[in-house]
Amino acid sequence: MRIAIWILAAIAMAMAPGAFAADARALKWDDLMPPGWTMPLDQGILDDQNAPSGIGYDPKFFPVNDALNGQRVRLPGYVVPLDMGADSIDEFLLVSYLGACIHVPPPPPNQIVYVKSPKPVKFDGLFMAVWITGTLATERKDSELGLAGYSMVADSVEPYKGPNLPIEFNKNE
C-alpha cells in the first residue's frame, strides 16, 4: 500500500507546473548560434521585396545550432504575440530582448523561437517575460513579425521571475 502512495505522489509531482523544467537543459540565447559562428555585420539583410515577411535577414547567413535539434530545453525570453488583439495566446515568438520584432528589422532567425502552446497563455502585454520549456526543433517558421530559425511546442510557459527584469536576456539573466 505504501508503494502505491509513493507512486501516486511521484505522478502528482511530475504533473505539477514547472515539473518538466528540471530535466530540461537551460539555454542562453548565445547557445542558439552554432559554436564558433559570429554575427555578420550588415550581411544578409533583405529588403521588403525579397524578404518573406518584410524587411528581415537572409537565413543562409544566420545558421541554427543543429546540435540542439530534438533537445529538451528551458529558455527565458520576451513574448511577441502573433495575435495582437488577444488576452490569451497559444502562438508567439520568443525573443531575447524587449521590443524585438516590433521594430524593423527583427532579430535574425537564429535568435527567434516560434512557440506553440497546447494551452492558452494569459497575455499580460508587450513586456511579458517568460521561461519556456519544451523540445526545440531546428525548423524555420515564417510570420508577419519575423522568420524564426527554431520552433517549439511548449510543455510549460511560466512567468519569468527575478530581482530585475533584464532588457536583454543575452547579457543579464
Side-chain angles (χ1 to χ4, degrees), residues 131-148:
W131 281 100
I132 60 167
T133 303
T135 302
L136 197 62
T138 53
E139 171 186 37
R140 290 192 173 121
K141 292 280 192 171
D142 193 19
S143 74
E144 293 178 12
L145 298 175
L147 177 64

Side-chain angles (χ1 to χ4, degrees), residues 37 40 43-46 50-52 56-64 108-110 140 142 147-149:
W37 180 83
Q43 287 186 2
I45 295 179
L46 299 171
N50 295 321
Y57 295 94
D58 187 337
K60 72 181 175 198
F61 289 104
F62 299 92
V64 295
N110 63 8
R140 290 192 173 121
D142 193 19
L147 177 64

Side-chain angles (χ1 to χ4, degrees), residues 9 30-31 60 75 84 87-88 91 95 100 124 131 134 140 147:
D30 290 344
D31 295 331
K60 72 181 175 198
L75 183 67
M84 295 296 266
D87 59 354
S88 67
E91 289 181 276
V95 295
D124 291 331
W131 281 100
R140 290 192 173 121
L147 177 64

Side-chain angles (χ1 to χ4, degrees), residues 52-133:
S53 58
I55 295 175
Y57 295 94
D58 187 337
K60 72 181 175 198
F61 289 104
F62 299 92
V64 295
N65 184 347
D66 289 321
L68 296 174
N69 191 41
Q71 292 228 351
R72 197 162 155 60
V73 301
R74 179 170 163 85
L75 183 67
Y78 291 98
V79 170
V80 178
L82 294 175
D83 180 2
M84 295 296 266
D87 59 354
S88 67
I89 53 176
D90 60 4
E91 289 181 276
F92 58 91
L93 300 178
L94 189 74
V95 295
S96 68
Y97 61 91
L98 195 58
C101 297
I102 303 304
H103 305 288
V104 175
N110 63 8
Q111 294 294 287
I112 301 176
V113 179
Y114 165 83
V115 180
K116 175 80 174 149
S117 179
K119 294 189 296 189
V121 176
K122 182 171 174 26
F123 181 60
D124 291 331
L126 292 176
F127 303 113
M128 184 174 164
V130 297
W131 281 100
I132 60 167
T133 303

